[in-house]
Each structure stands twice: as C-alpha cells, then as structure tokens.
C-alpha cells in the first residue's frame, strides 16, 4: 500500500516562492520533433492530451506531459 504525501501549505507571508507550474509544450501537425528514445520525427496528429509522431520506421502515440519530446 502506498501512502500519499500531503501537499505543503503555503502561507501568503512566506519568504519562499512557490514552485513554478510546469509549462506543457504545444505541438501542431507537421512540427519536427526529437525524442530522447526514438530520435527525429514529425507530428502526424494532435489530441487534447497526446500527439502521434512518425519516427520513420514506426509511429508512436506520446501522452502529455511531453517530458522527452522537444520541438525543433
């Protein structure tokens, strides 16, 4: 059984800044991309929370957040 860690409360008067919210990159059809595992590819289709990328020898559907996918 796993236990969930409670989120820490942030006080308005805290001298420490809140952690930044991660920015999820947006991709469009025909964008050239690179992936850490699959290499260079082209975006074929986009959905609300995923993209389909053609890497030449195979097509992969990659879900958001796109941590290993970078737009060229």
């Amino acid at each position: 059984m796993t236990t969930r860690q409670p989120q820490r409360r942030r006080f308005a008067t805290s001298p420490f800044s809140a952690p930044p919210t991660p920015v999820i990159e947006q991709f469009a059809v025909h964008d050239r991309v690179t992936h850490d595992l699959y290499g260079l590819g082209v975006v074929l289709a986009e959905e609300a929370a995923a993209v389909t990328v053609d890497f030449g020898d195979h097509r992969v559907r990659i879900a958001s957040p796109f941590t290993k996918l970078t737009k060229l």
Side-chain angles (χ1 to χ4, degrees), residues 33-57:
V33 295
T34 182
H35 190 274
D36 291 349
L37 180 64
Y38 302 116
L40 296 174
V42 177
V43 176
L44 295 178
E46 63 174 317
E47 301 171 26
V51 293
T52 303
V53 182
D54 181 19
F55 290 105
D57 56 342

Side-chain angles (χ1 to χ4, degrees), residues 17-70:
S17 60
T21 57
V23 176
I24 298 176
E25 193 168 357
Q26 300 294 319
F27 296 99
V29 176
H30 301 295
D31 279 347
R32 295 189 61 196
V33 295
T34 182
H35 190 274
D36 291 349
L37 180 64
Y38 302 116
L40 296 174
V42 177
V43 176
L44 295 178
E46 63 174 317
E47 301 171 26
V51 293
T52 303
V53 182
D54 181 19
F55 290 105
D57 56 342
H58 57 283
R59 294 179 181 175
V60 179
R61 183 175 180 270
I62 301 173
S64 176
F66 312 106
T67 55
K68 298 182 179 183
L69 195 64
T70 308

